[in-house]
Amino acid sequence: MAAFDDDHPPRADLINDCVHCGFCLPTCPTYALWGEEMDSPRGRIHLMSQGLGGEPLSDSMVTHFDRCLGCLACVTACPSGVRYDTLIADTRQQVERRHPRPLRDRALRAAIFALFPYPRRLRLLRGPLRAYQASGLRRLVGRTGLARHAPTLAMMESLAPTLSRPVRLPERIPPRGPRRAVVGMLTGCVQSAFFPDVNAATARVLAAEGCEVLIPRTQGCCGALSVHAGRRSEARAFARALIDAFSGGDLGHRDLDHRDLDYLVVNAAGCGSSLKEYGELLADDPAYAERAAALSARVRDLSELLVELGPVAPRHPLPVTVAYHDACHLAHGQGVRAQPRALLRAIPDLELREIADPELCCGSAGVWNLLNPEPARQLGERKARDVLATGARLLVTANPGCLMQIAAAVRRLGSATGDSTTGRCSAAGDSSATGGVAIGLAHTAQVLDASIRGLPVDALG
Amino acid sequence: MTATSMTATSTTAIGTLAARLRTVLGTDRVISDRQELRTYECDGLAQYRVVPALVVFPHTAAECAAVVKACAAAGVPFVARGSGTGLSGGALPHADGVLIVTAQMRRILELAPADERAVVEPGVINLQVTRAATPAGYYYAPDPSSQQICSIGGNVAENSGGAHCLKYGFTTNHVTGVEIVTPDGDLVRLGGRAPDAPGYDLLGAFVGSEGTLGIATEVTVRLVRLPETVRTLLAAFDTTDAAGAATSAIIGAGVVPAAIEMMDALAIEAAEAAVHCDYPAGAGAVLIVELDGPAADVEAQFVAVERLCRDNGAFEIRIAADDAERALFWKGRKSAFAAVGRISPDYIVQDGVIPRTALPDVLRRIGEIAAEHGVRIANVFHAGDGNLHPLVLFDDAADGQAARAEAASGAILDLCIEYGGSITGEHGVGVDKAKHMPRMFTADDLDTMQLVRCAFDPRGLSNPGKVFPTPRLCGEVPGRHKGAHPLQEAGVAEVF
Ligand SMILES: Cc1cc2nc3c(=O)[nH]c(=O)nc-3n(C[C@H](O)[C@H](O)[C@H](O)COP(=O)(O)OP(=O)(O)OC[C@H]3O[C@@H](n4cnc5c(N)ncnc54)[C@H](O)[C@@H]3O)c2cc1C
Ligand code: SF4
Ligand code: SF4
């Protein structure tokens, strides 16, 4: 049986754009780990082409597709403009539909996808201990056979930061000063469950910069995790619901229509890149195609929007050294690299430092670290070492997955001192690598918020 | 070209060999899954494809030697592969052979900036050497455009060059010693740390041997002090003639730039599409000229270069204000090959050398070749040393275009020979240009080269089928033919 059916196979014309130059290899995390062609972008494209040429979707072929983190570093690196993002998305949904996975693997995936896209279920994961004790999860674990996946579970436990009380944001936040834009705000699953402070900071920064912020409570998952895992129909369902949430009903005493929104702001890199692709995701759905495309066009990462609008709120000095980590789905997925750096540099007394090999993924990659715990650990530790080597006091990034992944790796490298509280997990670095300096972690929004409000550095990480 | 199917006997031989290699390397590092093998069927020159029988990943020199020894014992040919970016099919596998991939041998074993030396494993990426040495104020000078991914082992095998080889020389000038596995599986050292070793220059023979004399398992390279000053300018001209004249004027004035690179309009278009390098609009050609060295020298020469560019018709000159701008100038140039994929579905990267002074003539002739064959040709080249990289653009889907592109590409090589140049500057002969070797060398020239091959690899197991147009049998004295060998009678091989 041929590897792919006619329902959106990886496109031959996109595959043929690849000239086999290999320039994408050094930025690919799996090639960095293993040095094997079939676990490189060039090799994966070759496997897709084999699939189109009649090779079956074998276990080994699927393994190499599965091992791809979807970090899209290869898209940035490719001088020929190969659309690997589109290729792997098409391939993944073929794999999910057509490849019978072993039972354990299926159970694990089912369990993860029964959990992650649902903020309320996620909230049950409150800190390493309570995560496992949370009755809901334990039942889920028992029922699905998740327990047999000890490494994944261990990874999940090591990742989960302890939670502060969930922050309940109002549905409408008025601008401070004259209104410059009306923006919808996505709260995200992982972000809202594990890092509610980040959402609160985002809303405050937006309001301070003159945005009226609308946060519909009906919003759920954007479908990013599903789409990156090839669960396309599940992703489409999430997308439709989200479009509805931002285009209907009475919200904070005003009728919301998506056309009223100047922007839809996202503070999680993975969500942002998937929202920007709603147009493509729902292109075949006549009822939603147009609204999806219209919404996608309004989506902005927080840093993108703030640079577009230009600052009005005064910044207070924040004397701190910051290492900025490019989240893959921001840097490679959305091409947003300069804006967060510019915003951070504009804060008086803040010193920005660059991390070596900035293009290399930290190994978080959606739920990849749960499905591939061992290589994820290696990538996380490599990144943590590079981060600690900057000697910065604070690590800043714009994706909840990266924050959890790097925090866990930093903890492993050094001895954890830290309560990894919401959005400000702090951990002591390996003293040999850092001279005993601890590093705190924060989202870009929190740093901006602290500067605008004139909070001390200690308020962060 | 497609893979020939394996004979029954070779299949069992391979099966036995695979089992043997698994005991040496472990199961994970011996690949025999068809689909996985196929990802290794080609290098950077993807029109040649052969699926290897096995792919193996040694981690140490000793493992590499054990693999080669096992191959030699079984009489199975083997091919080395680094990062698979070669552009002449040098790492094209053998259908009944083992592909030995060095990509996992990537440790920098020693970094000794004070001695201006580094010792690296063959799979180490070229740019990584520079990155490791930079904090100490040193770098590795040879800089192929593929430097972010090509391996030092591949560089040694191809004697690779790059933009800065004009001043600093090719790989051969930067390697002082190698440890190799001979085709019998013995580990031996050629050269050392000293700049020159007594006796025959076997190191010199090995560098550029394209994997036919054995496999490099450790390479000692020179590190060069980072220059005090680097100054880079980008000059735009109306025509390649004017840019070529400027190049000759600069060299003629006794200036030795670190690099002089030229791109023509079509190449500029591709680079713009790929990396938005923002070269001056409307340029028929651009030159990138880089000077490096002590500040005072560089400043004086830079003024001269600027004047010579203007005298020869440069309508715009940009001077890189900082490293970021310099990087942008270079980004356009270094991504040019792969970037051509943006403006053409298929293309051939040609590599030839001509005397620098013939540049305007040769470029005109290349233009004529393009018109005659109905293809577009973009030109990117190391203008300073006359190393041309014409890119012949075509669409494989269109009838007959591939054949016409191939013909045009061959005609360019004839042109290089006609002007007293060479059929390859830095990409090597590999499988692609083996057929062109007799155009450049006499039968006696080639025989003499083969004597060297025979001394290292009498059974022809190390990367067979590359470099030479006809396989030969070793063990016979050249010239004195005593009766035909059975293979010779069968027309498969020649004796010398
Ligand atoms: C876009 C692009 C730009 C390029 N630009 C340049 C350029 O500017 N200058 C230039 O010179 N080249 C250039 N190249 C060609 C190529 O990158 C070089 O030839 C490079 O040295 C190949 O290195 P590799 O590791 O990819 O070797 P491979 O392609 O894997 O192998 C090349 C040859 O080396 C042999 N080999 C590999 N490792 C060993 C070893 N350890 N011992 C013995 N033999 C070995 C192989 O058998 C093969 O014959 C370019 C290629 C591309 C795709
Ligand atoms: S998306 Fe990331 S992991 Fe996947 S092939 Fe590209 S670089 Fe490698
Ligand atoms: S860089 Fe682009 S063209 Fe080159 S091998 Fe990778 S995907 Fe293919």
Side-chain angles (χ1 to χ4, degrees):
Chain A
M1 191 171 67
F4 308 120
D5 62 22
D6 292 341
D7 181 1
H8 295 91
R11 278 165 48 191
D13 57 327
L14 300 187
I15 288 174
N16 289 338
D17 286 341
C18 172
V19 299
H20 224 256
C21 68
F23 278 29
C24 50
L25 268 56
T27 57
C28 175
T30 55
Y31 189 78
L33 281 177
W34 301 311
E36 295 183 357
E37 191 69 26
M38 50 279 185
D39 281 314
S40 79
R42 182 173 66 176
R44 293 189 176 106
I45 293 169
H46 195 285
L47 287 168
M48 292 172 197
S49 145
Q50 288 185 29
L52 288 184
E55 286 280 351
L57 197 57
S58 67
D59 287 349
S60 92
M61 195 188 272
V62 169
T63 300
H64 300 304
F65 293 145
D66 279 354
R67 285 185 187 158
C68 166
L69 287 90
C71 69
L72 310 186
C74 50
V75 177
T76 300
C78 176
S80 300
V82 171
R83 291 297 308 267
Y84 181 85
D85 48 344
T86 310
L87 286 171
I88 192 69
D90 284 337
T91 303
R92 287 222 156 111
Q93 59 83 26
Q94 291 268 351
V95 169
E96 287 320 295
R97 284 189 292 106
R98 295 168 53 77
H99 181 68
R101 292 187 182 280
L103 195 65
R104 297 175 78 180
D105 199 15
R106 252 185 352 228
L108 176 63
R109 278 161 198 270
I112 288 173
F113 284 95
L115 181 65
F116 265 86
Y118 303 96
R120 233 170 299 126
R121 291 182 205 169
L122 263 184
R123 254 175 240 132
L124 296 173
L125 280 164
R126 293 176 153 239
L129 268 179
R130 290 172 68 184
Y132 194 54
Q133 290 164 352
S135 58
L137 177 67
R138 195 195 267 158
R139 238 184 296 125
L140 197 64
V141 165
R143 209 169 47 223
T144 55
L146 189 62
R148 265 178 285 140
H149 292 273
T152 292
L153 204 61
M155 174 57 98
M156 208 132 80
E157 288 198 43
S158 79
L159 287 174
T162 42
L163 282 190
S164 66
R165 235 177 308 119
V167 178
R168 201 169 163 84
L169 293 169
E171 288 204 293
R172 175 179 173 273
I173 299 171
R176 287 233 304 264
R179 187 172 86 185
R180 301 166 74 205
V182 181
V183 305
M185 181 179 142
L186 185 86
T187 49
C189 318
V190 178
Q191 195 80 283
S192 68
F194 288 154
F195 300 104
D197 287 358
V198 173
N199 280 338
T202 303
R204 278 195 297 269
V205 170
L206 285 169
E209 294 291 17
C211 299
E212 175 181 352
V213 188
L214 303 176
I215 311 172
R217 284 232 169 93
T218 47
Q219 63 176 300
C221 176
C222 68
L225 294 175
S226 306
V227 81
H228 295 146
R231 301 163 72 96
R232 201 169 265 179
S233 57
E234 185 179 277
R236 287 202 182 101
F238 281 128
R240 289 190 198 97
L242 197 81
I243 292 169
D244 289 342
F246 278 96
S247 55
D250 166 54
L251 193 76
H253 311 296
R254 54 181 289 164
D255 287 331
L256 184 64
D257 183 282
H258 72 274
R259 278 177 291 262
D260 293 342
L261 297 178
D262 296 318
Y263 303 102
L264 174 54
V265 169
V266 184
N267 61 13
C271 307
S273 76
S274 91
L275 276 161
K276 285 181 179 176
E277 279 158 18
Y278 271 10
E280 288 159 44
L281 182 66
L282 292 173
D284 298 343
D285 180 340
Y288 277 86
E290 201 187 314
R291 284 157 73 197
L295 193 71
S296 284
R298 289 180 172 74
V299 173
R300 298 287 185 282
D301 180 72
L302 173 68
S303 62
E304 236 180 330
L305 176 63
L306 293 178
V307 167
E308 247 175 84
L309 287 178
V312 289
R315 290 349 189 213
H316 297 92
L318 206 57
V320 64
T321 45
V322 165
Y324 177 76
H325 164 69
D326 282 302
C328 292
H329 279 260
L330 199 56
H332 304 305
Q334 303 178 54
V336 176
R337 294 181 189 84
Q339 296 91 326
R341 289 180 169 82
L343 290 169
L344 292 170
R345 271 202 203 96
I347 295 176
D349 292 353
L350 185 149
E351 185 196 329
L352 192 61
R353 297 194 181 158
E354 290 295 328
I355 303 167
D357 296 327
E359 68 290 336
L360 203 68
C361 179
C362 67
S364 164
V367 298
W368 192 86
N369 51 358
L370 298 179
L371 293 168
N372 303 273
E374 185 44 38
R377 231 170 50 85
Q378 291 171 21
L379 289 171
E381 283 168 17
R382 177 177 175 156
K383 182 61 75 182
R385 255 179 242 115
D386 288 340
V387 168
L388 293 174
T390 64
R393 156 107 166 60
L394 192 65
L395 171 68
V396 174
T397 187
N399 201 44
C402 308
L403 274 178
M404 293 194 289
Q405 167 81 358
I406 300 174
V410 168
R411 271 201 300 276
R412 277 196 305 276
L413 286 186
S415 50
T417 56
D419 89 315
S420 33
T421 40
T422 316
R424 35 167 133 145
C425 333
S426 73
D430 177 354
S431 53
S432 61
T434 65
V437 186
I439 191 155
L441 294 95
H443 188 284
T444 320
Q446 292 171 299
V447 182
L448 293 170
D449 181 46
S451 166
I452 291 172
R453 292 160 73 200
L455 299 180
V457 174
D458 295 349
L460 295 163
Chain B
M1 193 183 278
T2 49
T4 50
S5 64
M6 276 185 268
T7 59
T9 37
S10 75
T11 310
T12 44
I14 290 293
T16 316
L17 181 61
R20 170 93 196 81
L21 293 177
R22 287 198 169 97
T23 63
V24 176
L25 301 176
T27 36
D28 286 359
R29 292 198 269 133
V30 179
I31 302 286
S32 56
D33 173 270
R34 186 185 65 243
Q35 294 177 344
E36 295 183 333
L37 290 174
R38 283 190 60 191
T39 64
Y40 284 95
E41 69 188 3
C42 59
D43 60 8
L45 186 64
Q47 53 266 45
Y48 296 92
R49 293 171 186 238
V50 174
V51 184
L54 292 174
V55 173
V56 300
F57 304 98
H59 283 179
T60 61
E63 284 180 357
C64 198
V67 169
V68 171
K69 221 170 204 115
C71 289
V76 169
F78 56 89
V79 178
R81 169 170 164 136
S83 300
T85 67
L87 290 173
S88 52
L92 185 76
H94 191 288
D96 297 334
V98 177
L99 189 72
I100 302 176
V101 178
T102 63
Q104 296 176 16
M105 297 175 74
R106 48 185 172 182
R107 285 174 304 166
I108 294 178
L109 300 171
E110 189 192 337
L111 203 61
D115 298 342
E116 302 188 320
R117 293 290 181 276
V119 182
V120 304
E121 290 186 330
V124 168
I125 303 300
N126 173 304
L127 190 60
Q128 293 299 339
V129 181
T130 287
R131 288 177 77 176
T134 301
Y138 287 80
Y139 75 114
Y140 179 63
D143 61 339
S145 302
S146 52
Q147 69 186 131
Q148 79 234 52
I149 178 59
C150 62
S151 73
I152 293 289
N155 290 174
V156 168
E158 298 289 2
N159 187 19
S160 295
H164 294 81
C165 291
L166 174 60
K167 178 168 175 182
Y168 292 98
F170 284 69
T171 302
T172 191
N173 304 109
H174 294 268
V175 171
T176 64
V178 289
E179 176 193 62
I180 67 163
V181 179
T182 66
D184 297 330
D186 297 327
L187 276 173
V188 302
R189 290 188 176 273
L190 311 177
R193 288 172 86 95
D196 187 22
Y200 290 130
D201 184 11
L202 295 182
L203 174 64
F206 188 84
V207 176
S209 63
E210 304 194 21
T212 59
L213 303 184
I215 300 180
T217 48
E218 188 191 288
V219 183
T220 304
V221 298
R222 282 174 59 199
L223 298 177
V224 178
R225 192 111 184 85
L226 283 167
E228 185 191 340
T229 311
V230 182
R231 298 269 274 152
T232 312
L233 67 74
L234 182 81
F237 298 83
D238 288 328
T239 62
T240 48
D241 276 8
T247 304
S248 285
I250 291 167
I251 306 241
V255 178
V256 184
I260 306 185
E261 297 287 302
M262 195 195 297
M263 291 166 74
D264 73 0
L266 205 51
I268 297 169
E269 180 190 330
E272 283 298 346
V275 297
H276 314 291
C277 42
D278 197 24
Y279 287 173
V286 294
L287 280 187
I288 299 175
V289 186
E290 191 158 286
L291 297 177
D292 67 8
D297 296 1
V298 169
E299 287 316 318
Q301 295 192 336
F302 202 70
V303 173
V305 167
E306 236 187 297
R307 182 175 45 76
L308 291 167
C309 284
R310 283 207 202 284
D311 289 353
N312 284 280
F315 66 82
E316 185 173 338
I317 292 182
R318 290 188 197 161
I319 296 166
D322 51 24
D323 286 348
E325 197 172 355
R326 176 180 3 270
L328 195 64
F329 287 2
W330 278 112
K331 199 169 177 186
R333 166 63 188 89
K334 295 223 167 184
S335 63
F337 290 175
V340 166
R342 302 258 184 176
I343 59 167
S344 173
D346 302 284
Y347 62 92
I348 299 170
V349 180
Q350 194 45 285
D351 170 38
V353 185
I354 51 154
R356 183 178 26 78
T357 44
L359 212 62
D361 273 3
V362 170
L363 283 177
R364 228 182 338 273
R365 295 276 298 274
I366 290 179
E368 289 164 18
I369 290 174
E372 265 165 45
H373 293 79
V375 291
R376 293 190 299 165
I377 300 181
N379 284 290
V380 178
F381 43 96
H382 308 309
D385 43 21
N387 187 178
L388 306 177
H389 288 312
L391 299 146
V392 185
L393 316 189
F394 67 100
D395 182 356
D396 205 12
D399 232 15
Q401 270 208 27
R404 290 206 304 275
E406 186 63 45
S409 178
I412 293 173
L413 292 186
D414 286 336
L415 196 61
C416 292
I417 296 172
E418 184 188 325
Y419 278 84
S422 162
I423 58 170
T424 167
E426 53 188 19
H427 295 169
V429 179
V431 70
D432 191 41
K433 288 188 175 165
K435 60 180 176 292
H436 298 300
M437 289 288 272
R439 297 206 225 170
M440 206 173 146
F441 297 104
T442 65
D444 288 342
D445 293 343
L446 290 171
D447 278 353
T448 306
M449 285 188 217
Q450 297 240 36
L451 276 176
V452 177
R453 167 74 183 271
C454 288
F456 278 82
D457 183 23
R459 294 201 289 156
L461 293 179
S462 193
N463 208 6
K466 312 293 166 65
V467 184
F468 300 104
T470 330
R472 307 252 176 160
L473 292 166
C474 303
E476 300 281 342
V477 183
R480 255 178 275 143
H481 301 256
K482 319 171 185 152
H485 186 282
L487 279 180
Q488 190 186 18
E489 279 189 334
V492 177
E494 289 172 45
V495 169
F496 69 93

